[in-house]
Amino acid sequence: MANTRDCLTKITLLLAAVFVILQGACAAEARETFNRFYADISINENSSVEVTEEILVNVENIEINRGIIRSLPVEYRDGKGNSVELGLEIIDIKLDGRDIPWSSVRAGVNVDVKIGDPTKIIPKGLHTFLIRYRVERHIGFFDDHDELYWNVTGKDFAFPVLEASCRVALPGKNFGEGFNTIEWYVGEYGTKGDNSRARQDSGRVFTVGPLQPGEVFTVVYTWPKGLVTPPPPPAKDNAKAQGAIAAAVFALISVWFWYAWKKWGKDPDKKTVIPLFYAPDGASPAFLRYVRDMRLDQTGFTAAIIGLAVKGAIEIEEAEGKETFFGKGKGHFVLHLKDTEPDEKLQPEEEALMMQLFPGSIDSVPLVQDNGDIISGAMRSLARNLRNANDTIFTRNTDKMFPGIVLYGSGVAATYPFSGEYPLNTMMAGVCGLLIIALGMRLSKAANTGIQNIRQFLGRAFPALVVGFVGATALGGEGMSPVAFILFTASAAIIAVMRPLMVSRTPKGSNILSEAEGLKLYMDTAEKERLEMFNPPDETPELFERLLPYALALDVAKTWGNRFEKVLTQAGYKPEWYSGPSPFLFLNGTGLNDFSSSLGNSIGQSMAPRSAPGTSSGMGGGGFAGGGGGGGGAKGW
């Protein structure tokens, strides 16, 4: 009997194990998909478009619990670079043939339509979402044809689409009738895709095989002119009134900032600059550059990292690239946390930077793009902690900027009634000016010589002049006149130029700047004889290493490295805080630039631009997957 019980127990355990394995396998197989995504599009005679999307969704309560979020694009750029708002009206939304709660909210260039009852979970299984909406300005009107260039699915779909299709009806015609050509693109966003991945049957285009997240299904329907009425042309604007307002704004802003700069924008008189052989009061390299430039840039961040290495807080490793068929790949740098106390006391901003670079148990950070969030977060942390000293070293005079900004905004608003039927261009002109002003908020104040002031003035004014020229050409008399646009751009340029010039240093800030210039004077003087009267310290590898981060921060790294090249070679210098194949990497400006570039390359990626529907044709192979209107994205919630 005992043997029988043991046998039954073993069989029961075996069956239980098999059951668990099967359950796991089923769970692994279960996934959420859009089994079917059908789009019916009706083009109205007034050029508006009504879209009905029928989406058959396999719900597994993984990402889709209460419903889906359908993102519909409503803003694009036209061929002139103007922002184009596309009207959107939601007509009807249903789930499995019944009304379902929904809401919509603007999210960047999209409107996110959130479908589902927040108090209920959708049961697992197949469910059909139906979305009907009306959009405007999606038709392209060309010399020899009219066209609908439409992304049936967008690149931001979170789930695979097993089957997608689209059919289009012209005014007064059945679906699929009256078209000159019907074309399609299926594949990754921005590519021509594979034409064989879709087929046409009686005017409806079907995909062949599933679409993975990120792939786009785009169709192009063309028809003879005359079937659809283009939107009405814009009314003429009042260019003279706009020009008069812009001229008055330009004059008032110029007078105000001339007066404000004379009264509040100048630094206290600086002390006489003499060579200094050490950092003032133990100030960090990034702090001295921040006091000089009134901002933190990539060079300042690099100097801070090297400063941590010199103080013995971290080690910099240069990892060589791996061997490939095409030769050795590009290497990268790795920051390692040392397990010993730093040789020198860290400043508060340096301690915060260490905590940001090495949170928790992390003890190494490769400078690769995957770690961009860590590196950019560390740079933001350093900037944030440097700004803690703003009140003691800067007088920002922000309140003196408000009259100019108010004058600018009031002037742009005053031109609105004179903008005809394209007032959006007037608002975009205002936004261009605000972008120029924002540029001025980020720029530094030249503090050393008149030539530097002139150079920085031209550097700030040039982008504004380019924007003014391009903007005036692009507007072409629609909305805001070119003359008014140029004057408003010039007004914004004055504000941008004056923002950094209105920041003045406190007496303490002015003293620190003088000391930083004294340290730079010592490191930038190649002839030792010129410094003998000041009793400079002996030139040793230790002195080179201690002031190396400051040389980088104050833009004299190349001179500093060249000056010590013979001393370091004779001493067989190799920094203890560096490991890798290039022991002299940090000896001159080139190596420091390589390291700084490695830091910069690990931060951020760019995004592809988007074009407005109707501004470029997709027929005849001239389009690509994702190049039309519609599209957007979809995800669960």
Side-chain angles (χ1 to χ4, degrees):
M1 291 293 291
N3 290 336
T4 301
R5 283 196 299 270
D6 290 343
C7 185
L8 289 174
T9 301
K10 291 179 180 179
I11 292 173
T12 302
L13 291 174
L14 179 62
L15 291 175
V18 171
F19 177 77
V20 170
I21 292 172
L22 289 176
Q23 286 288 96
C26 291
E29 285 297 320
R31 65 170 183 168
E32 291 175 323
T33 56
F34 286 1
N35 288 16
R36 187 172 67 235
F37 190 102
Y38 285 180
D40 286 351
I41 302 175
S42 297
I43 299 172
N44 297 319
E45 189 176 348
N46 65 358
S47 79
S48 65
V49 174
E50 291 188 13
V51 183
T52 301
E53 295 179 347
E54 181 184 300
I55 312 171
L56 180 63
V57 180
N58 182 43
V59 176
E60 293 291 341
N61 297 144
I62 301 172
E63 294 184 46
I64 304 174
N65 292 290
R66 293 171 176 82
I68 64 173
I69 298 175
R70 179 73 172 100
S71 297
L72 300 171
V74 293
E75 181 182 344
Y76 296 84
R77 293 283 178 181
D78 65 13
K80 299 179 180 180
N82 297 320
S83 176
V84 179
E85 287 283 338
L86 311 177
L88 170 67
E89 177 189 357
I90 303 297
I91 300 173
D92 190 22
I93 293 180
K94 295 185 183 296
L95 172 61
D96 296 330
R98 296 186 296 273
D99 292 336
I100 184 75
W102 61 275
S103 62
S104 63
V105 63
R106 181 66 180 261
V109 299
N110 298 325
V111 167
D112 283 353
V113 183
K114 192 174 187 178
I115 306 170
D117 190 334
T119 65
K120 296 180 181 179
I121 300 294
I122 299 177
K124 293 183 179 181
L126 296 176
H127 297 274
T128 300
F129 290 82
L130 187 139
I131 309 171
R132 290 184 59 216
Y133 56 92
R134 182 183 297 109
V135 291
E136 298 176 351
R137 297 183 180 273
H138 274 274
I139 304 299
F141 296 93
F142 301 95
D143 292 340
D144 57 352
H145 73 282
D146 295 340
E147 171 182 301
L148 177 66
Y149 185 10
W150 185 262
N151 300 317
V152 182
T153 64
K155 68 182 181 66
D156 296 324
F157 273 47
F159 309 104
V161 179
L162 304 188
E163 181 186 354
S165 76
C166 178
R167 62 177 182 172
V168 181
L170 290 167
K173 298 183 181 294
N174 295 323
F175 283 100
E177 291 183 354
F179 294 104
N180 290 343
T181 61
I182 301 175
E183 302 175 35
W184 55 85
Y185 305 94
V186 184
E188 294 289 338
Y189 175 80
T191 66
K192 298 291 183 182
D194 184 352
N195 189 262
S196 66
R197 293 186 61 185
R199 59 183 177 83
Q200 180 198 157
D201 186 4
S202 301
R204 180 184 283 275
V205 181
F206 296 85
T207 58
V208 177
L211 301 172
Q212 298 303 320
E215 292 189 313
V216 186
F217 171 36
T218 300
V219 296
V220 185
Y221 285 74
T222 70
W223 58 90
K225 299 191 70 63
L227 300 180
V228 178
T229 303
K236 291 185 178 180
D237 49 60
N238 190 331
K240 290 184 178 180
Q242 291 181 5
I245 294 171
V249 169
F250 177 78
L252 291 172
I253 286 177
S254 300
V255 170
W256 165 251
F257 279 112
W258 178 83
Y259 169 78
W261 179 76
K262 295 284 287 185
K263 187 172 180 62
W264 297 291
K266 294 184 176 181
D267 284 353
D269 293 336
K270 291 191 300 183
K271 298 187 303 184
T272 301
V273 176
I274 60 174
L276 196 66
F277 309 120
Y278 51 85
D281 296 327
S284 70
F287 178 74
L288 292 187
R289 187 176 182 89
Y290 183 73
V291 173
R292 189 192 73 173
D293 292 350
M294 299 185 176
R295 66 188 178 103
L296 176 70
D297 60 2
Q298 186 174 314
T299 299
F301 181 55
T302 305
I305 296 294
I306 295 177
L308 291 175
V310 170
K311 289 185 176 182
I314 66 173
E315 179 182 342
I316 300 174
E317 175 194 0
E318 185 181 4
E320 292 190 84
K322 297 181 179 179
E323 291 288 348
T324 67
F325 178 78
F326 300 100
K328 184 174 291 188
K330 188 176 181 180
H332 65 276
F333 292 92
V334 183
L335 306 182
H336 295 284
L337 174 66
K338 283 194 170 183
D339 55 6
T340 58
E341 288 294 320
D343 301 330
E344 297 182 40
K345 177 178 172 59
L346 301 183
Q347 296 298 313
E349 68 270 15
E350 293 175 317
E351 292 178 347
L353 176 58
M354 288 288 292
M355 294 177 64
Q356 190 73 31
L357 282 172
F358 305 103
S361 60
I362 294 177
D363 58 6
S364 65
V365 181
L367 300 185
V368 295
Q369 205 164 59
D370 288 345
N371 288 327
D373 290 343
I374 295 175
I375 304 303
S376 59
M379 187 170 178
R380 288 194 298 269
S381 172
L382 179 60
R384 185 168 56 250
N385 282 277
L386 289 173
R387 286 195 295 268
N388 290 336
N390 278 359
D391 292 341
T392 61
I393 57 178
F394 300 136
T395 300
R396 301 197 65 83
N397 292 316
T398 303
D399 56 329
K400 311 304 186 297
M401 303 300 299
F402 289 156
I405 295 174
V406 169
L407 282 170
Y408 177 83
S410 300
V412 172
T415 63
Y416 188 91
F418 307 102
S419 301
E421 293 190 6
Y422 288 88
L424 185 60
N425 278 349
T426 298
M427 296 301 99
M428 285 306 301
V431 171
C432 286
L434 292 177
L435 290 176
I436 295 171
I437 294 171
L439 174 65
M441 300 298 180
R442 298 176 58 87
L443 293 174
S444 62
K445 178 175 183 175
N448 299 321
T449 68
I451 293 177
Q452 286 178 311
N453 276 293
I454 294 172
R455 185 183 301 149
Q456 291 205 24
F457 175 86
L458 294 176
R460 295 173 188 132
F462 181 73
L465 295 175
V466 171
V467 170
F469 176 77
V470 174
T473 304
L475 287 177
E478 297 178 353
M480 182 175 286
S481 74
V483 172
F485 189 91
I486 290 173
L487 287 171
F488 275 116
T489 301
S491 298
I494 291 175
I495 300 174
V497 168
M498 293 307 300
R499 167 64 271 191
L501 293 180
M502 285 302 299
V503 179
S504 59
R505 293 174 181 83
T506 64
K508 178 180 178 180
S510 184
N511 289 338
I512 295 173
L513 177 62
S514 296
E515 292 173 332
E517 291 177 352
L519 181 61
K520 177 182 178 180
L521 177 62
Y522 163 55
M523 294 187 294
D524 199 29
T525 302
E527 300 82 10
K528 294 169 54 178
E529 294 75 13
R530 292 178 56 191
L531 299 171
E532 288 299 328
M533 63 178 293
F534 297 101
N535 298 316
D538 293 335
E539 294 185 350
T540 63
E542 291 75 20
L543 177 65
F544 166 78
E545 189 172 81
R546 185 170 70 248
L547 293 184
L548 174 63
Y550 296 94
L552 176 61
L554 298 176
D555 301 319
V556 292
K558 184 175 182 180
T559 303
W560 187 244
N562 291 339
R563 180 167 154 185
F564 278 80
E565 184 173 5
K566 185 176 180 181
V567 173
L568 299 178
T569 302
Q570 290 177 347
Y573 168 76
K574 180 179 179 181
E576 295 181 358
W577 42 268
Y578 164 83
S579 63
S582 310
F584 295 102
L585 176 69
F586 295 98
L587 180 60
N588 54 48
T590 303
L592 291 168
N593 288 338
D594 289 344
F595 180 71
S596 181
S597 297
S598 185
L599 275 174
N601 290 338
S602 64
I603 303 175
Q605 293 184 0
S606 61
M607 296 184 65
R610 304 173 64 192
S611 299
T615 61
S616 61
S617 175
M619 71 174 292
F624 58 87
K635 59 185 178 182
W637 72 286

